[in-house]
Amino acid sequence: MRITTNAILRNYKSNLGTSLSNLDIARTRVMTQRKFNSTAEDPSSALRAAVLQRKYARNEDYLSLVQDVQSFQDSQEDAAMQINNLAKTLSKQYGLEALNGTNGSRETRETYAAAWRGAQESMVLSLNASYEGKYVFAGSDGLEAPFKLTKDANGKQILLYRNVDVTTGDLYKADGTLDPAVAQADQDALNANPPVDKKAERLKQLSEDTLFVDLGFGLNIDDTTGIDESSVFNTSLPGINVVGFGVNKETGNPNNMIILMGQIADKLNEPDFDYEGYRELLGEFDEGRDQVLEQVTNLGTQTEFLTTTKDRLDTAKINLSTQIDNVVNIDMAEAIMNFSWAQYAYNAALKVGNNILTPSFIDFMR
């Protein structure tokens, strides 16, 4: 077979170009520290890298959200502990001292009554605690202060939670007056057959208020039942679950600690001190403090769950980083070795070019 000079030159230029291309690819990999810089270079690895990077970004979002929820819940726990400590001081110190015979004068009782009323205001402030502009005990409506201590049209002290009387369940308007249309509807429902206590339902609905966040448990939404609560985390803690709501069916006294504090102060201000009535109210106040401690315990359990979730997400972050590194990033030692070899091959190809045109028959003709 006859091999022409042009054929040799064509093959040489083609192979030299390949050698130069290999050198450029090796150089680029060393500089970028990536196995590929376009999808066309390695479609399967590029697709896998895109999937892993989306998972990594989503995991980062979950991790950030868990940290925010932890901080929000820490604010809830701090406020609940403030309420508990204040209630403990009132019950174990002021409450018992007012019952002591040596402190039984009317002037002394009035001093304790003032302390109870001052603590009442302080407890309402704790219930209206906020974190980054959101009220921690407002349930799903964190933009408005949930609690308001005021008086009704008859001058009786009431506590409103999201405009609902925590004792009776009456709905008030924003200006602090009863909504007559709602009041009439409530009464009609109560007079119906069978009767429906809409006020009690209103309070129950507020106490069961939820605010779900997705922390990476596989959010599941059913068309018929709604959100699967096992796949989300509930950040809502309605304040009425902390200090109580409704009426004690046995005694007829309010189940709310704030209102009980006002009634205890009223008892202390009475000219004729009702010892038994005071003890009854104080006992129910202590029961309310047990409810506060129960909520603090629940918050502690949820905090432990969030800590476990954060650890799981941190582990997932490390695993995903390792997988992305294996798919995308190069081994620098191997990459530098490949670059050195490609450079050596290219230099060798250039030297071969100097000897590619061998002497021909024409060179020996005279």
Side-chain angles (χ1 to χ4, degrees):
M1 181 179 68
R2 181 170 174 267
I3 300 176
T4 65
T5 301
N6 286 336
I8 294 174
L9 290 175
R10 283 196 303 271
N11 288 335
Y12 173 72
K13 287 192 293 183
S14 175
N15 293 331
L16 182 63
T18 300
S19 181
L20 181 60
S21 176
N22 291 337
L23 175 62
D24 182 62
I25 291 173
R27 182 188 296 113
T28 300
R29 286 178 178 173
V30 171
M31 290 189 299
T32 62
Q33 301 181 22
R34 290 175 58 91
K35 292 180 180 179
F36 56 90
N37 290 281
S38 67
T39 305
E41 292 182 34
D42 191 345
S44 62
S45 296
L47 177 60
R48 188 183 176 197
V51 172
L52 289 172
Q53 286 166 350
R54 282 198 300 271
K55 289 182 178 180
Y56 184 87
R58 189 163 55 246
N59 190 81
E60 283 285 277
D61 290 340
Y62 289 142
L63 192 57
S64 177
L65 186 56
V66 166
Q67 292 170 342
D68 288 341
V69 172
Q70 275 186 317
S71 298
F72 184 79
Q73 192 159 283
D74 287 343
S75 299
Q76 290 178 329
E77 190 170 357
D78 290 342
M81 286 302 300
Q82 289 175 7
I83 294 171
N84 175 68
N85 293 336
L86 182 57
K88 182 178 180 181
T89 301
L90 290 170
S91 177
K92 302 304 180 184
Q93 184 176 344
Y94 297 157
L96 294 180
E97 287 178 2
L99 286 174
N100 192 315
T102 59
N103 296 324
S105 67
R106 181 176 179 182
E107 291 77 10
T108 303
R109 292 199 305 271
E110 288 178 349
T111 302
Y112 285 117
W116 277 91
R117 294 197 188 281
Q120 189 183 35
E121 297 286 346
S122 298
M123 195 172 288
V124 172
L125 290 176
S126 295
L127 288 169
N128 285 333
S130 63
Y131 169 76
E132 292 188 349
K134 294 182 180 179
Y135 293 94
V136 298
F137 292 135
S140 60
D141 184 16
L143 301 180
E144 299 289 338
F147 287 94
K148 182 180 180 182
L149 188 63
T150 184
K151 293 184 178 180
D152 62 13
N154 299 320
K156 180 182 178 182
Q157 191 177 63
I158 59 174
L159 180 68
L160 301 181
Y161 174 73
R162 292 168 62 176
N163 295 327
V164 176
D165 188 328
V166 299
T167 304
T168 64
D170 288 319
L171 179 62
Y172 284 74
K173 295 191 293 185
D175 59 2
T177 60
L178 277 173
D179 190 328
V182 175
Q184 185 60 50
D186 291 345
Q187 188 60 45
D188 292 342
L190 196 59
N191 294 333
N193 188 18
V196 178
D197 191 349
K198 284 193 173 183
K199 296 180 183 180
E201 289 183 353
R202 189 175 293 127
L203 286 171
K204 185 174 183 294
Q205 185 177 4
L206 286 173
S207 70
E208 296 175 349
D209 191 20
T210 56
L211 182 61
F212 296 129
V213 293
D214 179 16
L215 297 182
F217 307 130
L219 177 62
N220 183 27
I221 300 178
D222 192 282
D223 293 336
T224 56
T225 60
I227 296 177
D228 180 4
E229 295 189 12
S230 64
S231 66
V232 290
F233 184 82
N234 183 22
T235 63
S236 172
L237 177 56
I240 55 175
N241 290 345
V242 178
V243 292
F245 62 93
V247 177
N248 189 320
K249 295 181 179 179
E250 295 180 1
T251 64
N253 293 324
N255 270 336
N256 181 265
M257 295 175 65
I258 306 295
I259 299 301
L260 283 173
M261 291 167 71
Q263 292 186 354
I264 289 173
D266 291 339
K267 286 288 184 184
L268 291 169
N269 279 330
E270 291 177 355
D272 297 325
F273 184 52
D274 182 359
Y275 181 86
E276 291 301 327
Y278 178 83
R279 285 195 61 179
E280 180 180 287
L281 291 174
L282 193 60
E284 293 187 28
F285 181 80
D286 282 338
E287 291 177 4
R289 192 167 68 87
D290 293 339
Q291 185 174 346
V292 176
L293 286 173
E294 181 181 344
Q295 293 298 327
V296 171
T297 302
N298 291 338
L299 287 171
T301 302
Q302 290 182 327
T303 298
E304 184 65 27
F305 174 78
L306 289 173
T307 300
T308 303
T309 301
K310 182 177 180 296
D311 292 341
R312 177 180 62 81
L313 292 172
D314 282 332
T315 302
K317 178 180 178 179
I318 295 173
N319 292 337
L320 288 169
S321 297
T322 302
Q323 293 180 58
I324 292 173
D325 182 68
N326 292 335
V327 173
V328 175
N329 300 327
I330 61 171
D331 180 347
M332 282 300 294
E334 182 181 357
I336 292 173
M337 181 185 68
N338 291 338
F339 170 70
S340 299
W341 174 253
Q343 192 172 40
Y344 174 80
Y346 178 67
N347 291 335
L350 292 177
K351 290 182 180 180
V352 168
N354 294 329
N355 301 320
I356 196 169
L357 293 179
T358 57
S360 65
F361 174 77
I362 298 176
D363 293 324
F364 298 95
M365 294 180 62
R366 294 186 180 274

